[in-house]
Amino acid sequence: MITYEIDEIGGRAIPLADGRRPLQQILECLAIPDLAPMDLAAFFQGLIDDKIFRDAASDSKVEFPPNYEARLKRQLVYFSGLAPAGQTARDLQHRLLRSRVLIVGAGGGGSHMAVQLAGVGVGNLTIADHDRVEIGNLGRQIFYADHIGELKVEVLRSVIGKISPETSVTTHVERLTREAGWINKILPNVDLVINCADYPSMDETSRWLFDACYPLRIPLIPAGGYNGHMTSVPPTLIPGRSTCWHCYERTTAKKVSPFGELRLAEMKSGVFLPATVAMAALQMPEIIRVLTGCEQPRFINCRGEFDINACALRIENVPPTPGCGTCEGTA
């Protein structure tokens, strides 16, 4: 027989877990300062693992492919602390499984984001890039020496298939240009676009993609850039809810920051693997917020600058410009 020692918080929490209250409501009933949803979720998950409790959310009609739920078991514990009232972790995960995401650019940022999106269980990825793997890519991208010479998008399709067999991957061997007609054929079938294309510059490609996404009301997350130990995170662009790319450019053009060098140096700026990974890590939670609706996106109407050497994140507001026809009516 297993004997458990339950502390005061656990003793108060257990009677509230009656199968009708979501985790957030139990947390509110406890009214204990500094008690994190994740800690409470981990407590109940331990009881579920030991078959003392049964997860009422497992009775949900939401069904997952074989092994999908087992692979993401600990993520579901994390999501139980994010799920809004009346929703479950399985609901959030199911939205990711149904999501359709387009990644433009499969280099430093794009390769990391593609693998991470598959890792968190996004069900449908479209990846567009025309490049082949070169030896200079191996220091900061998700490729290996035996991939040299292969198309980046096809390598990522293979890698993702081994990480997340449930993720459907569609590839396009294309370069993004202002006149690229292929992008307009893809957009009606996606829920979110992530721009990781940095040629001729991240500013140019984000402008082109925003102008294509906006009429279709498709959210766009520009992946930002990195220069040495510095990483930039542009605003999340959601038509009708956020500033537009043009307002962002007008605002940042008047300011001087370490990221000014990114525009001037183009492809010659210094790069550092931790900065690439940091950029992807900063934006993955934002992507999950947009796809699941679990929380308000944090980078709406603001931008971030992260210095990995100083471990410092600076957030700066980027509100819609008064009189901007694109942002007009944005809350």
Side-chain angles (χ1 to χ4, degrees):
M1 182 177 69
I2 300 176
T3 301
Y4 290 87
E5 291 186 7
I6 304 296
D7 61 15
E8 180 184 355
I9 295 176
R12 291 174 55 191
I14 286 175
L16 297 172
D18 56 6
R20 297 190 298 270
R21 294 182 177 92
L23 187 72
Q24 187 61 39
Q25 188 175 347
I26 295 176
L27 198 68
E28 292 170 358
C29 291
L30 290 173
I32 298 175
D34 301 325
L35 177 59
M38 310 313 167
D39 293 338
L40 190 60
F43 168 72
F44 282 122
Q45 187 62 47
L47 296 177
I48 292 168
D49 290 344
D50 290 337
K51 303 188 185 307
I52 304 300
F53 269 37
R54 179 174 55 82
D55 185 0
S58 65
D59 297 335
S60 167
K61 294 182 180 179
V62 173
E63 295 184 2
F64 296 126
N67 299 321
Y68 181 83
E69 186 171 0
R71 179 170 67 83
L72 297 168
K73 178 180 178 180
R74 295 187 67 178
Q75 180 169 289
L76 286 165
V77 175
Y78 173 77
F79 278 177
S80 66
L82 291 180
Q87 300 180 34
T88 68
R90 292 170 64 85
D91 294 328
L92 301 189
Q93 191 62 58
H94 192 239
R95 287 181 199 140
L96 289 182
L97 179 61
R98 292 182 302 170
S99 293
R100 304 167 301 172
V101 178
L102 166 63
I103 301 174
V104 182
S111 61
H112 283 277
M113 287 193 178
V115 169
Q116 289 187 38
L117 284 168
V120 299
V122 168
N124 302 277
L125 288 178
T126 299
I127 309 172
D129 197 302
H130 72 290
D131 272 345
R132 294 179 180 270
V133 179
E134 301 176 355
I135 191 169
N137 301 143
L138 306 187
R140 66 186 185 282
Q141 301 177 18
I142 307 293
F143 304 115
Y144 303 99
D146 56 358
H147 293 148
I148 292 175
E150 297 182 37
L151 289 166
K152 291 182 178 180
V153 292
E154 295 305 325
V155 173
L156 286 173
R157 186 210 297 268
S158 175
V159 170
I160 288 170
K162 296 173 183 177
I163 294 173
S164 175
E166 307 85 7
T167 300
S168 171
V169 180
T170 302
T171 60
H172 292 269
V173 183
E174 300 279 3
R175 165 176 266 175
L176 181 65
T177 64
R178 186 190 301 275
E179 296 80 19
W182 60 268
I183 193 74
N184 295 317
K185 298 177 182 178
I186 298 173
L187 288 180
N189 298 310
V190 302
D191 305 309
L192 172 68
V193 176
I194 302 171
N195 181 30
C196 300
D198 57 7
Y199 184 85
S201 72
M202 183 63 69
D203 288 349
E204 285 286 315
T205 56
S206 294
R207 188 182 312 124
W208 300 338
L209 283 172
F210 177 79
D211 288 342
C213 289
Y214 182 80
L216 300 176
R217 317 302 281 178
I218 298 172
L220 168 65
I221 293 183
Y226 39 87
N227 188 4
H229 62 287
M230 301 293 291
T231 293
S232 69
V233 182
T236 296
L237 306 171
I238 302 180
R241 292 178 57 191
S242 74
T243 188
C244 69
W245 180 260
H246 305 293
C247 285
Y248 167 65
E249 284 195 300
R250 283 192 289 267
T251 300
T252 56
K254 300 174 183 178
K255 299 181 179 180
V256 177
S257 78
F259 297 101
E261 299 176 21
L262 285 172
R263 293 184 180 134
L264 298 175
E266 295 181 344
M267 302 294 288
K268 298 179 181 178
S269 58
V271 293
F272 186 37
L273 173 62
T276 309
V277 176
M279 181 190 69
L282 280 170
Q283 292 193 311
M284 279 304 302
E286 184 78 346
I287 292 168
I288 290 173
R289 294 181 196 109
V290 172
L291 292 176
T292 67
C294 63
E295 293 180 334
Q296 171 80 354
R298 302 291 170 81
F299 285 98
I300 280 185
N301 295 343
C302 66
R303 65 190 288 263
E305 296 182 350
F306 184 59
D307 182 335
I308 63 172
N309 285 352
C311 200
L313 175 65
R314 183 170 72 89
I315 302 295
E316 177 184 48
N317 290 332
V318 185
T321 303
C324 173
T326 304
C327 294
E328 188 174 358
T330 298

